[in-house]
Amino acid sequence: MSKTPDQEIISLILNEATANKGFRLLVSQYQEQLYWQVRKMVVVHDDADDVLQNVFIKIFKGVKNFKGDSKLSTWMFRIAYNESMTFLTKKGKTLQISSQELQDHLTEKLEADVYFTSDEIELALKKALAQLPDRQREVFNYRYYDDLKFKDIATILDLSEGAVKSTYHIAAKKVEQFIKVN
Amino acid sequence: MKNNNQHTQAGFKVPEGYFDSLTDRVLENTQKDKAVEHAGFSVPKDYFSTLEDRILKEVQEDKEVKVVTLKTSKNNTWVYPLLAMAAIFIGFVTINGLFSTDEVTFADLNDQELRDYIVDVNFLQDEESVEILYADNSILNDTEIEQEFTDNELLDYLMEDATLDQIIRE
């Protein structure tokens, strides 16, 4: 299926008569990208599914006010990032554990997760990522897996481009070191 | 083609060229399955094919929940007397207050009742009363003594009422 330009999707959504069609297009075009972004943060499939529903509800409510200061995808990634972080904070509070302990807990569960590959290298990488501070892990995920530009990552995380570059550099070094040692 | 013929002979039929394109389609599907793996994660079968409909349903439901409509009926004339009564009640409460504000003031007390009370109650055992007597002089200031009396009359009165005199001395 050919990709519909973002501007066309927004125009369809802004017109009441074509709003449903526009939103359907938006969902079909971005659901997978957003799902994987959320999944990499919350790890568990069922949690990712719940968060994704909320993300699209937020997008649906806010898209009419989208001013086009950034790319539509970047704007949606930012919503997905915020929703995922809110979810993780709540989950940490429910389990009464810190952010770091939560990452360890999620990584431990990965080994038994039927929706995770049995690939040892991927598992080792996930364990390495779990050791990183939240910010470094997110920057690494966006760059390494999603191949996003530093500029877009900076917009999503509300950081300067320079800060994103140095954060990615530090994160990559730590991951490399962790995998060598372990 | 041989396979096609064999299936036709066994009573089954397949679309023309079915086996010729089968390899390509199988490989295509394998690639599709591969595409739903990302960063080591995978999703349940058919997850993405149903996701769009589920999200749109969820968004629609969320939109509908926010709409709060008041039910209206043509046979709702009984509501108006109730509304009128409620309005009258609210008006009454606003003007007069919900509860009576009548308060007993110091001026309402009979002299004899006051004297009996002072004699009966052991003021010095009651911290609250002591506080009022010695700390809150506003009671005395606010009390209007309507009757004029001389110092001698006051002295005579105090001499006669030894109990009261004793209380004040203590």
Side-chain angles (χ1 to χ4, degrees):
Chain A
M1 198 175 80
S2 61
K3 198 171 178 248
T4 312
D6 287 350
Q7 197 49 52
E8 197 177 314
I9 293 177
I10 294 169
S11 301
L12 287 169
I13 291 172
L14 293 179
N15 183 344
E16 211 162 303
T18 56
N20 278 346
K21 187 187 169 194
F23 198 68
R24 184 172 280 276
L25 262 174
L26 183 135
V27 173
S28 69
Q29 202 151 294
Y30 286 103
Q31 58 180 9
E32 288 198 33
Q33 256 181 299
L34 289 170
Y35 171 83
W36 291 122
Q37 191 210 338
V38 172
R39 178 77 186 275
K40 283 199 292 287
M41 289 181 74
V42 304
V43 177
V44 180
H45 165 73
D46 287 341
D47 292 344
D49 188 46
D50 287 345
V51 173
L52 190 66
Q53 308 284 339
N54 290 337
V55 169
F56 272 111
I57 287 171
K58 292 262 166 79
I59 290 171
F60 181 77
K61 285 177 179 170
V63 74
K64 284 169 188 165
N65 302 319
F66 175 67
K67 293 184 178 72
D69 296 337
S70 61
K71 283 195 290 184
L72 181 66
S73 59
T74 309
W75 177 73
M76 292 193 297
F77 271 24
R78 187 164 181 164
I79 292 175
Y81 171 78
N82 289 339
E83 280 298 307
S84 304
M85 286 308 290
T86 305
F87 174 84
L88 287 174
T89 308
K90 275 186 195 166
K91 189 163 185 168
K93 278 184 184 168
T94 309
L95 296 172
Q96 296 187 319
I97 53 177
S98 69
S99 164
Q100 183 57 58
E101 286 168 335
L102 178 64
Q103 287 303 321
D104 292 339
H105 169 75
L106 293 172
T107 313
E108 274 171 32
K109 284 176 76 178
L110 260 185
E111 289 177 69
D113 191 342
V114 291
Y115 297 121
F116 185 72
T117 176
S118 53
D119 186 341
E120 280 183 21
I121 295 170
E122 276 297 349
L123 188 60
L125 190 53
K126 292 287 176 291
K127 283 180 179 172
L129 289 175
Q131 306 307 310
L132 298 178
D134 291 345
R135 212 9 82 87
Q136 289 178 14
R137 184 171 49 254
E138 297 325 324
V139 169
F140 187 89
N141 276 337
Y142 285 127
R143 184 67 185 174
Y144 182 77
Y145 288 117
D146 300 326
D147 205 21
L148 289 186
K149 289 177 181 164
F150 286 120
K151 190 182 162 192
D152 292 335
I153 300 171
T155 309
I156 294 166
L157 299 176
D158 202 15
L159 294 170
S160 71
E161 201 175 328
V164 171
K165 282 179 184 172
S166 60
T167 305
Y168 178 74
H169 180 72
I170 295 165
K173 284 279 170 204
K174 281 188 186 175
V175 168
E176 192 185 335
Q177 185 66 21
F178 182 89
I179 290 174
K180 269 184 191 170
V181 172
N182 293 279
Chain B
M1 280 292 127
K2 193 183 174 187
N3 283 344
N4 275 356
N5 291 337
Q6 279 176 346
H7 280 84
T8 308
Q9 285 172 1
F12 295 108
K13 283 182 183 175
V14 291
E16 200 178 344
Y18 173 75
F19 289 110
D20 297 336
S21 62
L22 185 60
T23 311
D24 288 342
R25 284 189 291 110
V26 167
L27 284 175
E28 197 182 317
N29 284 333
T30 313
Q31 288 303 313
K32 266 185 196 168
D33 284 344
K34 214 174 178 182
V36 292
E37 274 188 20
H38 188 89
F41 295 116
S42 60
V43 291
K45 201 182 168 203
D46 297 332
Y47 174 69
F48 285 121
S49 59
T50 58
L51 184 60
E52 187 179 316
D53 287 335
R54 283 196 303 115
I55 286 170
L56 291 168
K57 189 172 168 243
E58 195 80 23
V59 167
Q60 201 59 36
E61 276 172 8
D62 184 72
K63 200 174 149 191
E64 282 165 7
V65 164
K66 300 292 179 214
V67 179
V68 179
T69 52
L70 290 171
K71 284 184 180 176
T72 53
S73 164
K74 287 180 181 177
N75 300 320
N76 58 358
T77 47
W78 57 273
V79 172
Y80 296 116
L82 285 179
L83 286 173
M85 284 168 69
I88 291 167
F89 177 74
I90 291 166
F92 180 80
V93 168
T94 308
I95 294 164
N96 297 305
L98 190 57
F99 302 105
S100 169
T101 54
D102 289 347
E103 287 177 13
V104 178
T105 63
F106 196 74
D108 295 329
L109 293 173
N110 181 296
D111 284 353
Q112 187 57 47
E113 283 173 355
L114 190 59
R115 193 181 300 140
D116 291 345
Y117 175 74
I118 290 169
V119 171
D120 290 344
V121 175
N122 187 351
F123 267 87
L124 297 179
Q125 296 295 317
D126 179 356
E127 284 183 19
E128 201 177 327
S129 306
V130 171
E131 204 167 308
I132 292 168
L133 272 176
Y134 293 101
D136 189 4
N137 292 324
S138 61
I139 291 176
L140 297 173
N141 294 337
D142 294 344
T143 306
E144 288 180 17
I145 301 170
E146 292 176 0
Q147 200 177 347
E148 291 287 331
F149 50 86
T150 64
D151 287 349
N152 284 337
E153 282 170 340
L154 181 61
L155 196 61
D156 289 345
Y157 171 76
L158 292 173
M159 291 287 281
E160 281 171 18
D161 203 328
T163 317
L164 186 61
D165 184 44
Q166 195 180 347
I167 288 169
I168 292 170
R169 274 169 195 270
E170 284 176 7

